[in-house]
């Protein structure tokens, strides 16, 4: 089944790195620029494919200070992902 793994460990997320994936765009852009909102186009840019049915939304690749996180952004992200994927896994 189509599955997405969302790495929400903003300060030390290693999912993409451990899978040897290059994720130039991910949760950093969502959390650091919440004013631009979240839509399906932005979410599709965040997805990095791994194998046939697994996609990753990566955390920043470097240690960073955690910005203010708005819960509605996380809810919106999960809602958008649920329309595209059978399973949404949050790390």
């Amino acid at each position: 089944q189509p599955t997405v793994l969302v790495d929400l460990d903003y300060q030390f997320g290693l999912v993409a790195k451990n899978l040897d994936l290059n994720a130039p765009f991910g949760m950093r852009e969502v959390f650091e620029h919440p004013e631009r909102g979240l839509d399906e186009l932005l979410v599709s840019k965040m997805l990095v494919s791994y194998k046939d049915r697994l996609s990753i939304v990566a955390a920043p690749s470097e240690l960073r200070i955690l910005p203010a996180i708005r819960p509605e952004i996380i809810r919106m992200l999960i809602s958008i992902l649920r329309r595209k994927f059978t399973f949404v896994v949050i790390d």
Side-chain angles (χ1 to χ4, degrees):
Q1 297 293 324
T3 302
V4 62
L5 172 58
V6 182
D7 189 353
L8 287 180
D9 187 350
Y10 192 80
Q11 293 180 313
F12 204 63
L14 293 175
V15 171
K17 184 175 182 174
N18 287 339
L19 296 174
D20 199 27
L21 296 173
N22 182 18
F25 196 76
M27 293 308 301
R28 176 180 176 180
E29 288 73 21
V30 172
F31 287 152
E32 291 183 0
H33 305 286
E35 70 281 354
R36 79 174 140 199
L38 196 60
D39 59 22
E40 290 194 28
L41 180 62
L42 180 62
V43 172
S44 69
K45 289 182 181 180
M46 296 167 54
L47 296 170
V48 178
S49 293
Y50 180 77
K51 305 260 178 166
D52 290 335
R53 293 192 172 116
L54 178 62
S55 294
I56 307 294
V57 176
S61 58
E62 62 210 33
L63 186 62
R64 303 193 54 87
I65 300 204
L66 188 64
I69 296 173
R70 296 178 20 205
E72 63 271 14
I73 295 291
I74 301 298
R75 280 193 297 272
M76 207 178 318
L77 174 64
I78 292 169
S79 175
I80 292 169
L81 291 171
R82 289 182 76 194
R83 288 191 289 253
K84 183 174 177 109
F85 295 94
T86 304
F87 299 105
V88 177
V89 180
I90 307 294
D91 176 28

